[in-house]
Amino acid sequence: MIITIDGPAAAGKGTLAAFLAEKYRLAYFDTGMVYRAVGLMMVLAGLDINDEEQAAATAGQLTFVKMMELSKHPDFRSPIGSQAASVVSAHPKVRQALLRMQQDFARHPTFADGQPASGAIYDGRDTGTVVCPDADFKFFITAAPEVRARRRYEEYLQKGKEVSFEEVFADMQARDKRDAERATAPMKPAADAVIVDTSSMSAAEVAAAVCRQIEQGKQNKSE
Ligand code: C5P
């Protein structure tokens, strides 16, 4: 079984994906990690993230192992890392270079310990539209920009990061705009995705609503 969860930052995709991965025993691919890894590789190497050729060359060097290594860097999920990921992800050649790696995971889904899984859950922006257009279940998880910025701000506070709400909100709006307006694979719900607005829902309510859809879908398929 392949499930895709797309949508903007801090809408609740990661929490939902982790819940579903556990419930249905699926391997989890957080696809934002590939763009974060490329962005961070460039920042650490002092390269210009706006240079598409250099960004594509960097993407071509990325491996799963390298990505996991970079994910331990303090800037991997910091505002610097988020901004770099957002900029490099808008380059069509970068998206092309990273597509195969993402699609291979659906063919051979593996848990973090290397054990094979019977299916995968993806989270990102284009996983239902481009990466896995034939997924069994597709969800588009969204929430009002202020709600998402507040959630991300509180996450940063919990991690002891010093940022202002205004900064987080502005950063999120810039990333949303870039994701929505880029020419290649802009963020949008797949035609067959179920859209869930989590603005006034708890994580448990979101999980329950999505599980109902999956169970209903499974039942329809077996009839
Ligand atoms: O999901 P996350 O915030 O970690 O993603 C980092 C950045 O990578 C996003 O701002 C988005 O621009 C980009 N991204 C993308 N396509 C995906 C996943 C993430 O363009 N499938």
Side-chain angles (χ1 to χ4, degrees):
M1 172 162 75
I2 304 290
I3 302 176
T4 60
I5 304 176
D6 291 309
K13 302 188 302 291
T15 308
L16 173 64
F19 174 85
L20 295 177
E22 174 90 24
K23 181 174 168 76
Y24 294 108
R25 303 194 138 278
L26 300 171
Y28 172 36
F29 195 161
D30 167 5
T31 63
M33 287 179 72
V34 298
Y35 300 101
R36 286 181 182 274
V38 172
L40 188 56
M41 276 163 88
M42 295 191 77
V43 169
L44 296 178
L47 298 172
D48 176 8
I49 54 175
N50 293 296
D51 183 328
E52 178 162 10
E53 296 305 325
Q54 285 195 342
T58 308
Q61 292 161 17
L62 187 69
T63 61
F64 218 88
V65 173
K66 176 94 186 146
M67 182 178 84
M68 296 315 289
E69 219 177 271
L70 283 161
S71 70
K72 296 181 193 122
H73 191 282
D75 273 328
F76 193 74
R77 293 198 182 273
S78 76
I80 293 171
S82 300
Q83 195 63 19
S86 171
V87 172
V88 299
S89 75
H91 298 313
K93 288 183 184 172
V94 168
R95 303 199 74 85
Q96 186 55 40
L98 298 170
L99 186 57
R100 178 84 179 270
M101 180 180 166
Q102 296 175 77
Q103 291 179 327
D104 279 350
F105 192 79
R107 285 188 272 275
H108 307 284
T110 28
F111 290 114
D113 64 3
Q115 290 299 310
S118 61
I121 178 145
Y122 282 73
D123 111 31
R125 305 290 187 284
D126 64 341
T127 65
T129 49
V130 176
V131 180
C132 300
D134 299 327
D136 300 284
F137 297 100
K138 299 180 186 179
F139 296 94
F140 190 86
I141 306 295
T142 188
E146 294 77 8
V147 175
R148 292 188 288 112
R150 177 68 54 194
R151 289 177 187 162
R152 187 49 49 89
Y153 173 64
E154 278 161 13
E155 269 170 39
Y156 283 144
L157 285 190
Q158 273 172 13
K159 288 182 192 160
K161 288 205 171 80
E162 284 192 23
V163 280
S164 68
F165 173 76
E166 287 70 26
E167 218 179 314
V168 175
F169 188 44
D171 174 67
M172 196 160 277
Q173 282 187 310
R175 285 171 61 196
D176 282 357
K177 188 166 168 0
R178 225 177 272 123
D179 278 335
E181 292 179 358
R182 65 173 171 244
T184 309
M187 178 180 67
K188 61 171 188 210
D192 50 350
V194 174
I195 300 174
V196 184
D197 186 330
T198 70
S199 300
S200 52
M201 291 170 89
S202 68
E205 287 169 337
V206 176
V210 165
C211 286
R212 268 198 304 276
Q213 292 282 343
I214 294 175
E215 294 310 321
Q216 184 68 54
K218 280 180 168 177
Q219 205 175 322
N220 293 349
K221 277 180 198 180
S222 67
E223 279 170 9

